[in-house]
Amino acid sequence: MAYRDTEKTRSKREEIRTRILQATHELVVSGGFRNTTIQAVSEQAGIATGTVYKHFPSKAELFSEVFRRATQKEVDKVAQAIVGQENVLLRLQRAIRCFAHRAIQSRGLAWALIAEPVDPVVDADRLEFRQAYAALFSDLIREGIAKQEIPLQSASVTSAAIVGSLAEALVGPLAPPPPTLQTNDRTLPSQQTEDALIDNIIRFCLQAVTGCAFIEDQHK
Amino acid sequence: MAYRDTEKTRSKREEIRTRILQATHELVVSGGFRNTTIQAVSEQAGIATGTVYKHFPSKAELFSEVFRRATQKEVDKVAQAIVGQENVLLRLQRAIRCFAHRAIQSRGLAWALIAEPVDPVVDADRLEFRQAYAALFSDLIREGIAKQEIPLQSASVTSAAIVGSLAEALVGPLAPPPPTLQTNDRTLPSQQTEDALIDNIIRFCLQAVTGCAFIEDQHK
DNA sequence: TAATAATGTGAATCCAGATTCATTTTATAA
DNA sequence: TTATAAAATGAATCTGGATTCACATTATTA
């Protein structure tokens, strides 16, 4: 008889699946979720529209997976920047710098992950995404409070506020390029260089947390 | 011959137009933009669907006007809270309290104005909305710097960060009730009372701006 | 090679709501 | 009244993109 799953079979299936995810990711990075149609995805991946549905039950599910993958990578990076034996403030600073740097490097992605209007399924993922960051920060803040490195405060409010300031200061000022990728002539607000912007954000957040800010100069 | 614009005519037209705006506003407050269909609007207003289009060129335009009206009211309130001869920090505190209080009072509206995924036309309005707040704050901060009441800093970054923290701390933790208004059992994070939450946010922002925070007790 | 069963294809279908428009109602001026 | 035109009506159309499905390809085992 015929056709049991074999290595070749599985690997090819995986490969197509991956190609769909990659194609979607690329389109999202350059044009956001809104402009990413199944037709465009299949074109980009070099397959037929129907094939997409042999690998993903719906557009929402596909988007959700793309979102979660991209998101997880970002959260991991920040989590990585946070670990260490140094004092809490330094680690907080490193985490914020990491977040900011990456957001600036890849604005299209940052916008899609943080600010772009998306459908409810993906929006639910985004909630988790922000909560993941907030959790990272609030753990760190609790640790800092316990070690008496920072004053007593509501870790949950502080961490939410930090996430909010990062999002707004980094993605808000950006001209949200939703429908057509418009002429991206408007660069950062008032010619701030990336480092200056990041330093400002760090000062804001550290001061908010402690009442004072010593910015370590450890760019990149 | 016949039918030149008269008082009665005009006032009736106005009245219907207003009724459409009100109906839309009510639906948005209770269910967000996404769930607000033209059909629902016309039902709520007690008119036919076609009539809506006699008063507004498209759904997007109608939504845009509703958004801008609601938004302007909020911005005005905050602007009002900001004026005065007192020191800058006190006025900043008052403005933040005003924003926060109103957002908490009317969560549905706050969510629709600040966080709900909306179509591009309305999203453009939202950008202006946030910029209006940011402009309010950044003027105040520049004033404070000039008067040496607060340290030198980037007013634009600080104000964007303030707007971001407010939005995230007030609307983010909220269970975004997008598709169906789900059982809103999850109240504020960890049973914080409104005042406690607001005080936390104010401390965060004032400290971020100055390095210290004296919270005036002038609730409401 | 033949039989079997996934997988790939892409044109045709579906769908939810926005939008239209032929018809009816309401108001105005003579 | 009557002729005229704006406004209201809501069933019928339109639309853009997701989703389906009958058919073609490609692997797999015997």
Side-chain angles (χ1 to χ4, degrees), chain A residues 17 21 56 60-70 125:
Chain A
R17 197 185 140 87
L21 287 168
F56 297 91
E61 286 299 315
L62 167 60
F63 278 13
S64 174
E65 182 157 344
V66 168
F67 185 95
R68 281 183 281 109
R69 280 168 172 246
D125 293 326

Side-chain angles (χ1 to χ4, degrees), chain A residues 34-63:
Chain A
R34 179 178 292 268
N35 299 311
T36 303
T37 63
I38 291 294
Q39 167 135 23
V41 167
S42 53
E43 230 161 80
Q44 176 91 354
I47 56 176
T49 59
T51 305
V52 173
Y53 288 87
K54 283 286 183 349
H55 294 263
F56 297 91
S58 71
K59 189 194 185 194
E61 286 299 315
L62 167 60
F63 278 13

Side-chain angles (χ1 to χ4, degrees), chain B residues 154-209:
Chain B
S154 161
S156 62
V157 173
T158 297
S159 54
I162 291 175
V163 172
S165 14
L166 292 176
E168 189 73 21
L170 291 165
V171 183
L174 247 86
T180 57
L181 305 195
Q182 55 216 145
T183 55
N184 201 6
D185 51 357
R186 155 169 27 165
T187 51
L188 284 180
S190 68
Q191 288 74 45
Q192 299 219 37
T193 154
E194 167 180 340
D195 288 339
L197 172 60
I198 294 186
D199 284 349
N200 276 310
I201 293 173
I202 289 179
R203 171 152 27 78
F204 180 93
C205 291
L206 291 195
Q207 251 176 220
V209 170

Side-chain angles (χ1 to χ4, degrees), chain A residues 34 117-118 120 127 130 153-154 156-158 160-162 164-165 168 172 176 192 197 200-201 203-204 207-211, chain B residues 34 117-118 120 123 127 130 153-154 156-158 160-162 164-165 168 172 176 192 197 200-201 203-204 207-209 211:
Chain A
R34 179 178 292 268
V118 291
L127 189 61
R130 291 193 166 211
Q153 60 197 282
S154 161
S156 63
V157 173
T158 297
I162 291 176
S165 19
E168 189 73 21
Q192 297 218 40
L197 172 59
N200 276 309
I201 294 174
R203 169 149 32 75
F204 180 94
Q207 252 176 217
V209 170
T210 64
Chain B
R34 178 178 294 267
V118 291
D123 213 47
L127 189 62
R130 291 193 166 211
Q153 59 197 281
S154 161
S156 62
V157 173
T158 297
I162 291 175
S165 14
E168 189 73 21
Q192 299 219 37
L197 172 60
N200 276 310
I201 293 173
R203 171 152 27 78
F204 180 93
Q207 251 176 220
V209 170

